[in-house]
Amino acid sequence: MSNAKPVLVSAVKPTGDLHIGNYFGAMRQFVELTKEGKYQCFIFVADYHALNTMQDAEEMRRRTRELVMAYIAIGLDPKEVVFFKQSDVPAHTELCWIFDTITTMPYLMRAHAFKDAEAKNKEISVGTFNYPLLMAADILLYDAKIVPVGQDQKQHIEYARDTAEKFNRTFKSEVFALPEPYIMPDVAIVPGTDGQKMSKSYGNVIPLFASREELEKCVMGIVTDSSGDRPENVYQIHRLVRSADELDPLYEEHRGKYKVLKELLIEDLDRYLAPMRAKYEELKNNSGIVEEILAKGKTAARTMSEAKMEQVRKAIGTA
Ligand code: ADP
Ligand code: TRP
């Protein structure tokens, strides 16, 4: 990997069972972006961010593993991407503390996530309040040029930019470069089996690594609305894996025959998902691979982040 390439940094929290909505809505774009060979890529499992809401050791271990396997299974190449756990690289929390000392409470109180929690009268942990500064550290440690995230994360990138400027100004230094957000193009919302947005919290998902039997069960359970020309929920999911040019004549030919259309969807989905599922199963049975990837990532991320921390310590006068 050449140092001349601009750096891409992003992260995912290990908090959910992945479904095809996550894949088509976010994960796939991620993989495409890292494949281009344009960037030096650092992608990590944001386990310390997840700790704010997930406080169960077994679950943390399992979901971290599953997330790594999922990203490898869908095509993230560990040779191209430094893939690591946030908690494996102490510089993230160390730098977060330093940012804490130059950031005011009212500034953090303007964060959407904080305001939402407050509006709902939720008790908010210090970790949640501080979430944007840990994320700023995540990004700034690597001199990230671009940070691909969903629209909901845009404000966090602005926090990272502000924090970089504040640090540079306060310590009369040029330690941090300003990152740019890369807002992933809005992908149409993938509907769930009940027609609402597919979401783990609605129990309407098609799991990304579903077995053929599970797929059959999910697809057969798709709620069909007989008011229109075609079963819209079935069609919208079908469109994720086949073009309208191919699908429209099929839906015309089988107009009103929902069972036939669902069977076609099962076939097409199964064909699309099978290679990823096979890779996922292979990784599940080869327990050493995930550890190996994370161990390599840890070394690379530590080396890079320590170099930045040396500059930080000099700038603040602790070294
Ligand atoms: P969930 O709604 O199941 O809790 P998350 O909020 O964890 O999903 O979503 C993670 C990412 O997956 C989001 O950034 C979003 O872009 C994408 N995503 C989730 N559900 C959908 C969906 N139904 N359609 C399109 N994208 C989705
Ligand atoms: N906050 C992000 C999310 O909820 C995850 C995240 C943590 C992240 N640190 C990051 C994303 C650094 C990009 C860069 O999706």
Side-chain angles (χ1 to χ4, degrees), residues 33-302:
L33 206 57
T34 59
K35 258 190 190 150
E36 290 169 7
K38 277 207 292 207
Y39 306 106
Q40 190 183 356
C41 301
F42 291 83
I43 295 188
F44 61 93
V45 180
D47 51 358
Y48 273 162
H49 275 116
L51 193 58
N52 278 310
T53 53
M54 197 173 71
Q55 293 159 348
D56 178 304
E58 260 325 296
E59 194 181 358
M60 182 70 89
R61 269 182 218 111
R62 176 175 62 82
R63 290 197 182 282
T64 299
R65 242 191 100 66
E66 286 174 356
L67 190 65
V68 177
M69 293 192 305
Y71 271 94
I72 307 301
I74 66 166
L76 206 79
D77 181 354
K79 286 195 218 74
E80 292 293 325
V81 177
V82 176
F83 207 49
F84 64 100
K85 281 196 303 194
Q86 186 180 34
S87 60
D88 269 341
V89 185
H92 291 240
T93 46
E94 186 180 350
L95 184 58
C96 178
W97 173 260
I98 294 166
F99 288 161
D100 283 350
T101 66
I102 57 167
T103 307
T104 67
M105 300 236 320
Y107 173 72
L108 280 182
M109 286 161 108
R110 290 203 289 274
H112 300 318
F114 174 73
K115 286 205 287 198
D116 288 351
E118 219 189 14
K120 290 184 190 140
N121 268 329
K122 277 199 200 157
E123 282 210 349
I124 185 162
S125 69
V126 175
T128 304
F129 181 61
N130 215 12
Y131 191 110
L133 292 185
L134 180 56
M135 185 157 158
D138 295 342
I139 294 168
L140 299 177
L141 273 174
Y142 301 91
D143 280 336
K145 181 78 191 149
I146 74 156
V147 186
V149 285
Q151 180 66 37
D152 63 326
Q153 295 295 315
K154 189 157 179 259
Q155 192 193 36
H156 286 147
I157 314 294
E158 282 153 15
Y159 269 94
R161 288 176 63 90
D162 285 356
T163 305
E165 279 179 328
K166 178 85 186 261
F167 182 99
N168 288 347
R169 197 165 1 102
T170 305
F171 296 106
K172 300 178 190 58
S173 70
E174 291 294 327
V175 172
F176 293 116
L178 301 196
E180 294 290 340
Y182 174 95
I183 304 301
M184 295 198 267
D186 251 350
V187 175
I189 299 286
V190 177
T193 52
D194 59 357
Q196 293 186 76
K197 171 184 184 264
M198 186 176 290
S199 170
K200 58 180 177 271
S201 35
Y202 300 152
N204 62 357
V205 307
I206 300 180
L208 181 55
F209 300 110
S211 64
R212 167 84 190 203
E213 294 74 48
E214 270 180 281
L215 267 186
E216 285 171 7
K217 220 168 127 217
C218 293
V219 171
M220 284 305 168
I222 296 177
V223 177
T224 43
D225 171 3
S226 48
S227 63
D229 273 353
R230 61 181 183 208
E232 211 45 45
N233 296 337
V234 180
Y235 181 83
Q236 289 308 332
I237 295 175
H238 217 154
R239 275 286 289 109
L240 299 168
V241 291
R242 260 177 106 167
S243 71
D245 282 352
E246 285 178 3
L247 283 187
D248 291 355
L250 277 177
Y251 276 67
E252 194 48 46
E253 184 188 338
H254 300 294
R255 185 194 274 256
K257 295 186 207 141
Y258 296 167
K259 182 145 181 288
V260 177
L261 291 169
K262 283 182 172 178
E263 279 162 357
L264 286 170
L265 173 58
I266 292 168
E267 284 309 318
D268 288 339
L269 261 184
D270 192 43
R271 194 171 321 117
Y272 191 97
L273 299 176
M276 297 196 261
R277 180 171 65 215
K279 182 82 190 154
Y280 190 77
E281 290 302 319
E282 186 191 315
L283 289 166
K284 250 203 304 204
N285 297 326
N286 188 343
S287 56
I289 289 188
V290 169
E291 280 68 29
E292 226 175 85
I293 289 169
L294 291 177
K296 264 173 94 183
K298 169 174 154 177
T299 306
R302 279 192 179 189

